[in-house]
Amino acid sequence: MPLHEAMEKESLNFNQLCTFESFEKVWNHYGYKSVFQDVIEREFSRIKGITYLDHAGTTLYPESLVREFYQDICTNVYGNPHSHNPSSRLTHDTVEHVRYRILQHFNTTPDEYSVIFTSGSTAALKLVAESFPWRPPTAAEPASQFCYLTDNHTSVVGIRGVISALGVVSLPVSPEEIEARAKDVDQSEGSSCQTPHLFCYPAQSNFSGRKYPLGYVRGIQARQLYPACDSKGRWFVLLDAASFASCSPLDLQEHSANFVPFSFYKMFGFPTGLGALLVRNDTAALLRKTYFGGGTAAAYLAGDNYYVPASNMSSRFEDGTVSFLDIIALNHSFDSLHTLTGGMDKIQLHTFGLTRYTYMLLSSLCHGNGQPVAQIYSDSEFENPSTQGAILNFNLMDCHGQMIGYSQVDKLASLFNIHLRTGCFCNTGACQLFLGITNQVVKSNLQAGHVCGDNIDLVDDRPTGSVRVSFGYMSTFQDCQNFLNFVADCFVDKPVKVDQDKLDRLKSNTSSKGSSQCLLTNGKPDHIDEREHASTDLVVNQRGGKAITKDAKSHEKAQTLTNIYIYPIKSCAAFEVTDWPVGALGLLHDRGWMVVNGNRVCLNQKREPRLCLIHPQIYLPSNTMLLQASGMNTICVPLKNHSEPPQSHRVCQNMVCGDRVETVDCGDEAASWLSEFLGQPCRLIRQSPDFSRDMKKGHEKGLAPEVSSTALSLVNEAQYLIVNRASVDLLQRHITNRQESSDDHQPLDTQTLISRFRANLVISGKEPFEEDDWSHLIIGNTHFQVAGRCGRCQMIGVDQSTGAKTKEPLLSLSAYRKGKVTFGVYLVHQSLEDSNSTLTVGSSVKSEMS
């Protein structure tokens, strides 16, 4: 067969595989007793056009749940349950009924367990940490041990902070050790030792979706498994059900853990801010409580140290009035879940089928050169819903086997309205295990500026986290299809290929098969080792240039400054000038103001694209800024308030790119003007002149020691953003070529593209993307240092002349740069002297690169 025909056949195979008919051939448990599509259209119409794949973060609530709850609280009067009037008795009785429904859901009874309402799973874990009867070592007995699986949520590992000063031993346990180090123990041996120990493990990993055997509960309690088999005393088990309970049935009659924390929003989507701790009644008497709040006392004296706790377990630990309306909402949550699905068994089968199918295709997907597209982090091949939950964790790779940063995947997914999760998911232990991150690397990444929750996805070309997709009971096959097509369209070098041998093997897997080993399903188990020897030069350039050394090369090409733009109001239209003074924070008055909504949250073009239609103009001689927009009268805003600001001009705190900034309100006239134009309550605020904000640590680390001026205005990252016309031209050609081969024709000329990237400075470079390797820049007589590349998001898809949202140029930029969506570089002043100069269009530009 000719090569081009073979390539077309491979691509066709993928399209044929990504159909509902192919899905039905590998899984026959889809949907529930009613017509599933009708349920989706009736109950989840608000997610039309959205591919929601973050159910492990929170699932979605059906519209009928909210309607029924609204009808309930509009019909009934619910009083404080601590009172005894009729409305309060109604509340008390309803709350008690909900407790019973919760226990029924987990197949247990009030005789066996008590329900303690908390604000969430984390609060439930904290309650256990603070009330467990930890014992320090004595001459007769050893100290208590807090043992936890390394594949645990941060909130479990955080129990260490409570016990660190109590003389209690903390022991992390790897998943392999539990059974590998198990041994037979004479149960009479050490039976006199009453030291209490606590072992914590998740029923399901929130990182990989691995389901750990529920039989571990009895195995630890009976001291048959490690670490209990190595230590005398009484062993108690905390089974973290937060991730597991969302899509799986849990039977506490069969697996009677001592403590079971979980959150309701992960199960139902509504209400939020409510969780529970289930405590076995035969364990309750051991718990110690020091603080006592309203409703927890049987009796106490204000003038004497006398306190008797309430006899009821729940009352004793629920300080103050519980969130009773949220608890009452759970009645409707349970009703909706059972009406729509028929129960957790059906939900487990439905969600597992979607996850398994997505795993099969993603793990078999290859680039045109045969290289795998994804490295999947899993301990199984998704054969059985009893061992694998509805979570798929992975990183994508380019055709050369290099990792694509998770933040780039996240940005492009947002462009396609695909909602997923990235990072380490509050589970550092599993993240380290699967990604091969050592303890020292975690510490060095922190020194490099990477912290939990940021978008620094690669350090030394190695991932700091991953991408997670997860399914819920309302997930559809269309969600799988949208996600897989997104990966194939945006990250696969064409033609799309499928590893047919692997796919056939996965199809033939039976539910009885399993795997206890970590399988790197990209077909290259030694890939992580290869990365350890990769060059770090690229990362140095990404994070910001180094100081020029004797080996550095100087490129003094005939480059000029062609455009200067300032953006007085963050996310509003550009103000183009031919020359402009430089201030301590960058171009004078650049991003000195921003628009906030009624909740004082900063608006940007991702939230409100019509901001680009507001045209601010600065007039330095009159010390004023004019605001103009179509259909609106022009208003004037003073650049500085010389007198004491009135009450309406109050000083306030806001957030910019994760940083807290101090701002001053610009008054009611500007607020009314903006509110009328944008159609929502808004206010204009400016950065307080007395407030100083420095560049983020991740960028500062790469700057030369002589750089002393990194103070920022309300910009996101650095003082200046510069783009190269040669890079814009190349991208424009790539967009044109890409569109000629598709039906999506949205011509973008060079000047339109420049406006999309919202740079301060535009230069006429000689080579496309040469700016990526610059370390220093001289424009006229002003010296700059490069502070790193600019990562792009869906905001560059906003047409700056209309406010319309488009997929270009982000789609073509990602395709051209192999998923690394950067364009342009950040600059900072080389020294304080450079903050008192003027930049002029036509000035020469000299660049240096290492």
Side-chain angles (χ1 to χ4, degrees), residues 15 30 127 132 146 153-155 189 262 284 297 302 413 436 468 478 499 609 644 679 768 812 831:
N15 293 330
Y30 181 77
L127 189 155
F132 190 81
F146 165 54
H153 193 278
T154 302
S155 299
E189 178 188 342
F262 55 92
R468 184 184 75 184
Q478 187 68 48
D499 185 338
E644 186 69 22
S812 292
S831 66

Side-chain angles (χ1 to χ4, degrees), residues 386-405:
S386 66
T387 58
Q388 177 64 45
I391 291 174
L392 179 60
N393 198 308
F394 61 93
N395 270 315
L396 298 179
M397 300 179 292
D398 64 21
C399 62
H400 305 293
Q402 293 297 307
M403 288 291 177
I404 297 172

Side-chain angles (χ1 to χ4, degrees), residues 152-217:
N152 251 313
H153 193 278
T154 302
S155 299
V156 173
V157 182
I159 293 175
R160 292 188 321 209
V162 174
I163 66 169
S164 58
L166 302 179
V168 175
V169 177
S170 291
L171 179 65
V173 178
S174 68
E176 294 73 23
E177 289 181 293
I178 296 178
E179 296 182 47
R181 298 181 63 175
K183 58 186 178 183
D184 292 331
V185 175
D186 184 352
Q187 294 302 307
S188 63
E189 178 188 342
S191 58
S192 61
C193 179
Q194 295 299 301
T195 298
H197 308 291
L198 182 65
F199 179 75
C200 303
Y201 82 101
Q204 174 178 295
S205 169
N206 74 309
F207 184 94
S208 66
R210 174 182 179 178
K211 290 183 178 178
Y212 289 96
L214 296 175
Y216 284 176
V217 172

